[in-house]
Amino acid sequence: EDPSFKPEVVEKVSKACKSLCMWVRAMDLYAKVFKTVEPKRKKLEEAKKELDVVMKDLARKQADLQAVEDKINALQKTYDNSLAEKKALEHNLALTSARLKRAGKLTTALADEKDRWEISVENFNIELGNIVGDVFISAACVAYYGAFTSEYRHELVDHWIEKCKELEIPVSDGVTLFGVLGDAYLLRQWNTDGLPRDQVSTENAILVTKGRRWPLMIDPQEQANRWIRNMEARNSLKIIKLTESTFLRTLENCIRIGMPVLLEDVGESLDPALEPVLLKQTFKAGGRLLIRLGDSDIEYDKNFKFYMTSKLPNPHYLPEVCIKVTIINFTVTPQGLEDQLLSEVTRLERPDLEEQRNQLIVRINSDKNQLKAIEDRILKLLFESEGNILDAEDLINTLNESKVTSGEITKRLAEAETTEAKITIARSKYIPVAARGSVMYFVVANMAEIDPMYQFSLKYFKTLFN
């Protein structure tokens, strides 16, 4: 503890003593440190031993915990599996229940549809079997019989049917042009536009709309002319005559923008300038459809329509004209006029029946369009459906809709038949009136041979008759 017993102080006296002093002080410091550290070391040893014991205990406890956790995980997994199985069973239950309901719909609600489909399939098979003959007869009618009168047309069709049967070409009995190519709703629209209601006029209208060549109508009474004017009025019909100086320019404009054209008062020959239009000599250039008219190529719109009417009562068209156009005879015959007048009388005397018939035609046509749309949708859904049909709820609902609509159509068709029967009975009462009217018109028309002053148009006569 002596303050002078320090190596630096001792050094001044003796260097050897300095080393001794340093050793003594080091020993002293070691003794002091040893006295402090030794107990701590012992404590450390004890603490380590305790820690080892505790760690062993902890490891044992952790092993126990891990075992418990593994058990919990196993139980959780079992629980999740059970829950998933429960959900799957619930889903299967709901699915089976829904399938059962849909199966019920299919078997009970659609049972009567099966009958309709069987009848339809039977009819379609018959139609499909006879399609060659039916379409051949219709094509022959469109191509050939337009120029002839009603009686000769019937003879031609009967002859063609007999020949088909002779050559074993399948054909329906009593096949008619209207039966193959006609549409009741469209016919009603034509009648509204002024088309006479007799059978010949109906056939003529089909020839006008379905022929591949442009129609040339022999129309001394101007019935076809009035019908075309009314029918195409909504499409901005342009009326031209070959005597007009601007007729080619008007025709050119209509071809370009796709408007209908009516060429009136055609004689026994046609202007050579019309040949490209009549023969539809169109060609493609630069992705556009063109036709050469006169000296220039003009764009051809596919909506363009061309009608021709002639007032000549008995024109003689040369073969080169006949092959370019579809000649259609709109001349009124006594029988044809009788049919027209009979329709007029029935319409005037029993407007209730006529109105009822028109409403039924509109409704049946609307229902048929709806049924066709539904059937197309059914086919699409059947084509796209995969797996169990009972899972396709949309398909089954659509089938149900089809059943309801077909039921309504069947009911309305029955109503239409009843109405047609009533109209037929009502019409039969007025046949003498119509026959007398027809005879009267032709007597009056023949008076023009005595003197040209006695000329009456059919339109005037009909107004007077009504």
Side-chain angles (χ1 to χ4, degrees), residues 273-289:
L274 292 172
E275 192 158 313
V277 179
L278 298 177
L279 297 175
K280 298 185 182 178
Q281 290 173 340
T282 56
F283 58 93
K284 280 198 173 179
R288 296 185 308 157
L289 191 66

Side-chain angles (χ1 to χ4, degrees), residues 127-143:
E127 283 176 25
L128 205 58
N130 295 332
I131 198 163
V132 174
D134 291 357
V135 171
F136 164 70
I137 299 286
S138 304
C141 292
V142 172

Side-chain angles (χ1 to χ4, degrees), residues 40-315:
K40 287 184 177 177
R41 191 178 280 157
K42 283 181 182 171
K43 276 186 182 175
L44 176 64
E45 289 295 327
E46 285 170 10
K48 272 186 178 175
K49 283 177 186 172
E50 277 182 28
L51 180 64
D52 286 346
V53 173
V54 171
M55 285 305 281
K56 280 178 186 171
D57 205 21
L58 176 65
R60 197 171 63 251
K61 292 276 194 284
Q62 278 178 335
D64 291 347
L65 177 64
Q66 189 59 47
V68 171
E69 279 182 346
D70 289 346
K71 200 172 182 183
I72 288 169
N73 286 339
L75 288 168
Q76 184 67 42
K77 199 175 176 185
T78 309
Y79 172 71
D80 289 345
N81 288 345
S82 300
L83 210 60
E85 199 178 333
K86 182 190 169 205
K87 278 186 180 171
L89 286 168
E90 281 175 351
H91 174 70
N92 280 346
L93 180 68
L95 186 65
T96 310
S97 176
R99 281 179 178 175
L100 200 62
K101 204 180 285 180
R102 289 174 203 143
K105 263 189 189 177
L106 273 176
T107 51
T108 56
L110 300 176
D112 49 348
E113 274 294 83
K114 178 174 170 277
D115 300 337
R116 185 177 75 85
W117 290 335
E118 280 177 355
I119 294 163
S120 296
V121 167
E122 201 176 314
N123 291 340
F124 287 145
N125 283 335
I126 294 167
E127 283 176 25
L128 205 58
N130 295 332
I131 198 163
V132 174
D134 291 357
V135 171
F136 164 70
I137 299 286
S138 304
C141 292
V142 172
Y144 296 111
Y145 87 2
F148 305 114
T149 57
S150 168
E151 294 83 355
Y152 193 57
R153 286 182 184 185
H154 286 309
E155 276 183 40
L156 270 176
V157 173
D158 291 344
H159 175 65
W160 288 334
I161 291 172
E162 276 174 35
K163 201 73 182 165
C164 279
K165 286 179 178 173
E166 217 175 278
L167 298 168
E168 295 182 359
I169 296 169
V171 63
S172 303
D173 291 324
V175 62
T176 62
L177 183 63
F178 184 77
V180 179
L181 296 174
D183 178 346
Y185 184 75
L186 202 57
L187 174 61
R188 184 187 154 277
Q189 189 58 51
W190 290 339
N191 292 151
T192 308
D193 290 333
L195 180 76
R197 291 160 192 267
D198 60 299
Q199 190 187 342
V200 176
S201 299
T202 302
E203 288 171 356
N204 287 344
I206 293 171
L207 299 180
V208 169
T209 52
K210 299 287 182 186
R212 286 179 67 184
R213 299 193 292 262
W214 296 124
L216 169 54
M217 292 160 267
I218 301 165
D219 186 31
Q221 287 88 15
E222 295 190 36
Q223 290 185 320
N225 191 295
R226 277 193 297 279
W227 168 56
I228 297 291
R229 281 173 182 247
N230 293 333
M231 180 174 69
E232 294 291 359
R234 59 185 81 90
N235 298 323
S236 310
L237 175 76
K238 294 287 178 207
I239 296 159
I240 56 172
K241 293 182 182 178
L242 289 172
T243 50
E244 293 171 9
S245 57
T246 59
F247 91 91
L248 264 176
R249 194 180 304 121
T250 309
L251 185 62
E252 193 177 306
N253 291 336
C254 291
I255 290 171
R256 194 178 278 117
I257 57 178
M259 279 162 56
V261 175
L262 172 60
L263 177 62
E264 292 186 325
D265 300 344
V266 174
E268 291 189 345
S269 60
L270 293 167
D271 194 310
L274 292 172
E275 192 158 313
V277 179
L278 298 177
L279 297 175
K280 298 185 182 178
Q281 290 173 340
T282 56
F283 58 93
K284 280 198 173 179
R288 296 185 308 157
L289 191 66
L290 303 172
I291 189 167
R292 187 162 188 80
L293 195 63
D295 301 326
S296 55
D297 292 339
I298 56 166
E299 202 159 335
Y300 188 89
D301 190 307
K302 288 186 176 178
N303 292 322
F304 167 73
K305 289 177 186 169
F306 190 48
Y307 304 97
M308 293 162 280
T309 59
S310 170
K311 282 185 185 174
L312 299 173
N314 190 20

Side-chain angles (χ1 to χ4, degrees), residues 193-449:
D193 290 333
L195 180 76
R197 291 160 192 267
D198 60 299
Q199 190 187 342
V200 176
S201 299
T202 302
E203 288 171 356
N204 287 344
I206 293 171
L207 299 180
V208 169
T209 52
K210 299 287 182 186
R212 286 179 67 184
R213 299 193 292 262
W214 296 124
L216 169 54
M217 292 160 267
I218 301 165
D219 186 31
Q221 287 88 15
E222 295 190 36
Q223 290 185 320
N225 191 295
R226 277 193 297 279
W227 168 56
I228 297 291
R229 281 173 182 247
N230 293 333
M231 180 174 69
E232 294 291 359
R234 59 185 81 90
N235 298 323
S236 310
L237 175 76
K238 294 287 178 207
I239 296 159
I240 56 172
K241 293 182 182 178
L242 289 172
T243 50
E244 293 171 9
S245 57
T246 59
F247 91 91
L248 264 176
R249 194 180 304 121
T250 309
L251 185 62
E252 193 177 306
N253 291 336
C254 291
I255 290 171
R256 194 178 278 117
I257 57 178
M259 279 162 56
V261 175
L262 172 60
L263 177 62
E264 292 186 325
D265 300 344
V266 174
E268 291 189 345
S269 60
L270 293 167
D271 194 310
L274 292 172
E275 192 158 313
V277 179
L278 298 177
L279 297 175
K280 298 185 182 178
Q281 290 173 340
T282 56
F283 58 93
K284 280 198 173 179
R288 296 185 308 157
L289 191 66
L290 303 172
I291 189 167
R292 187 162 188 80
L293 195 63
D295 301 326
S296 55
D297 292 339
I298 56 166
E299 202 159 335
Y300 188 89
D301 190 307
K302 288 186 176 178
N303 292 322
F304 167 73
K305 289 177 186 169
F306 190 48
Y307 304 97
M308 293 162 280
T309 59
S310 170
K311 282 185 185 174
L312 299 173
N314 190 20
H316 295 275
Y317 288 112
L318 294 171
E320 54 261 35
V321 174
C322 297
I323 60 168
K324 292 174 192 169
V325 296
T326 302
I327 292 175
I328 301 166
N329 189 356
F330 263 93
T331 308
V332 173
T333 60
Q335 185 58 48
L337 182 60
E338 190 178 315
D339 278 359
Q340 288 180 33
L341 294 180
L342 187 56
S343 295
E344 293 286 329
V345 175
T346 312
R347 189 172 56 80
L348 290 165
E349 293 290 326
R350 296 295 304 274
D352 53 327
L353 287 177
E354 194 65 22
E355 180 60 30
Q356 197 179 339
R357 181 167 167 269
N358 284 342
Q359 282 176 357
L360 277 171
I361 288 171
V362 171
R363 281 194 313 208
I364 287 168
N365 188 67
S366 161
D367 287 343
K368 278 184 177 172
N369 286 344
Q370 192 185 338
L371 190 62
K372 187 180 182 305
I374 290 169
E375 284 175 351
D376 288 347
R377 195 161 154 233
I378 288 169
L379 287 173
K380 183 173 178 285
L381 289 168
L382 279 171
F383 179 71
E384 289 173 354
S385 72
E386 291 174 0
N388 197 325
I389 196 171
L390 294 173
D391 294 338
E393 190 172 3
D394 198 15
L395 174 61
I396 287 163
N397 289 339
T398 310
L399 285 166
N400 222 19
E401 274 179 54
S402 149
K403 175 211 169 218
V404 172
T405 311
S406 68
E408 286 174 7
I409 287 178
T410 309
K411 200 164 78 180
R412 282 181 187 152
L413 283 171
E415 282 178 37
E417 281 175 16
T418 312
T419 309
E420 285 292 345
K422 283 182 187 173
I423 290 171
T424 306
I425 293 164
R427 278 166 71 99
S428 64
K429 293 177 185 173
Y430 303 113
I431 286 172
V433 181
R436 189 172 298 180
S438 177
V439 168
M440 205 181 290
Y441 170 74
F442 281 97
V443 168
V444 171
N446 287 339
M447 283 172 69
E449 292 174 19

